[in-house]
Amino acid sequence: MTENRTSRNAGTATGWVLGAATVATGLIAGAFYVFACAVMPGLARSDDRVFVEVMRNINDVIQNPVFFLSFLGAVVLSAVSAWQARGRPYRGWVWAGLAAYALAFLVTVAFNIPLNDDLARTADVGVARERFEDAWVGWNVVRAVLSTVAVGCLGRGLVLYGGYQRGPAKSSPSGV
């Protein structure tokens, strides 16, 4: 009643994908967290012109290959990892991580990005800030929490994956 050892060893790529999903999701969770804890509270102290100018600049420069690799990679790698985990005891954690990050991704696409686009188009900086700040900060907190939950779930899945790969503990013939 032993599992085929080859199927366990074939999981090396599975572990790398799950690890990469966890890291990518952690990077994005960290970015959202830093915005919630430091960037937006710091900008809140600025006048309207500075606030809008800095946010417009951030929205321009964040659109780069490194950020997109993590932002899109987190959802793709989590989805691949969830598929690879099918039938495995740690699969629930990976699926929960995928679901939480997918929600954070959707919040970004449905709320934060349209707010960014509106900020870029609005000429009056006072009006732009009024329409943007509270809504964007609120949705950023939502996606920060969701992506942090995703990291926790993926991390738990990674720990359980490691235990699954090791298999049941065996004692040596001498009992040591």
Side-chain angles (χ1 to χ4, degrees), residues 81-152:
S81 187
W83 179 79
Q84 290 174 325
R86 67 195 186 285
R88 302 288 172 24
Y90 58 91
R91 72 183 174 277
W93 289 103
V94 178
W95 280 97
L98 170 60
Y101 186 72
L103 286 172
F105 186 91
L106 288 173
V107 164
T108 302
V109 171
F111 300 105
N112 293 89
I113 291 173
L115 286 165
N116 292 345
D117 293 343
D118 187 48
L119 184 72
R121 285 190 304 266
T122 306
D124 182 314
V125 293
V127 171
R129 182 176 185 171
E130 180 66 31
R131 289 184 194 164
F132 177 85
E133 187 174 15
D134 290 341
W136 195 94
V137 167
W139 286 115
N140 183 65
V141 169
V142 170
R143 66 188 185 164
V145 169
L146 286 168
S147 58
T148 300
V149 167
V151 172

Side-chain angles (χ1 to χ4, degrees), residues 20-69:
T22 305
V23 168
T25 305
L27 289 170
I28 296 303
F32 296 158
Y33 174 79
V34 167
F35 267 89
C37 292
V39 174
M40 298 313 288
L43 280 177
R45 295 178 174 187
S46 302
D47 65 39
D48 293 347
R49 185 193 59 75
V50 170
F51 179 94
V52 171
E53 181 181 346
V54 170
M55 279 308 301
R56 285 175 177 167
N57 288 337
I58 290 170
N59 291 334
D60 285 342
V61 300
I62 203 162
Q63 296 180 51
N64 66 72
V66 175
F67 178 78
F68 285 132
L69 185 62

Side-chain angles (χ1 to χ4, degrees), residues 1-14:
M1 196 139 180
T2 54
E3 183 177 349
N4 181 345
R5 202 64 191 146
T6 306
S7 68
R8 264 190 215 268
N9 292 337
T12 301
T14 300

